[in-house]
Amino acid sequence: MTPFKPFQDEKTSLAVDDLTIENRLDRISIYGSIQITKDKAGLQQARKLKELIDATVMALDKASLPDHVAITPSEKVKNPFD
């Protein structure tokens, strides 16, 4: 698995099953779905997810955190194919 360094860049994106984890400088976005089955494949999925969450918690523990981060909406751009 590619090392996931939370809050270090604006480009890293990983997938675990149909769950997407996107790295940003001020947040980690997690969306989609994941099915963790009671088998070896499910254990592998759970371990990947745990590794990502553990890395995120560790980064937050080490940081000097504000009370709240303001999240600005994404800028909409015109679809070049229209």
Side-chain angles (χ1 to χ4, degrees):
M1 176 187 242
T2 302
F4 186 78
K5 297 178 182 174
F7 311 107
Q8 296 297 309
D9 63 58
E10 294 275 335
K11 61 184 177 185
T12 306
S13 178
L14 301 173
V16 179
D17 196 19
D18 289 329
L19 194 68
T20 302
I21 300 98
E22 292 181 346
N23 205 12
R24 300 291 303 271
L25 296 174
D26 63 347
R27 64 187 171 273
I28 304 297
S29 298
I30 302 173
Y31 55 89
S33 65
I34 186 169
Q35 291 188 29
I36 299 175
T37 52
K38 191 176 178 181
D39 55 16
K40 289 180 181 179
L43 177 59
Q44 185 177 4
Q45 297 286 68
R47 284 186 173 150
K48 285 181 186 177
L49 187 56
K50 182 181 182 309
E51 181 181 327
L52 294 167
I53 296 298
D54 285 348
T56 302
V57 170
M58 193 173 351
L60 289 168
D61 279 340
K62 291 179 180 179
S64 174
L65 301 172
D67 290 334
H68 183 49
V69 171
I71 297 177
T72 56
S74 300
E75 180 182 329
K76 291 188 178 191
V77 294
K78 183 179 178 194
N79 184 341
F81 302 105
D82 282 342

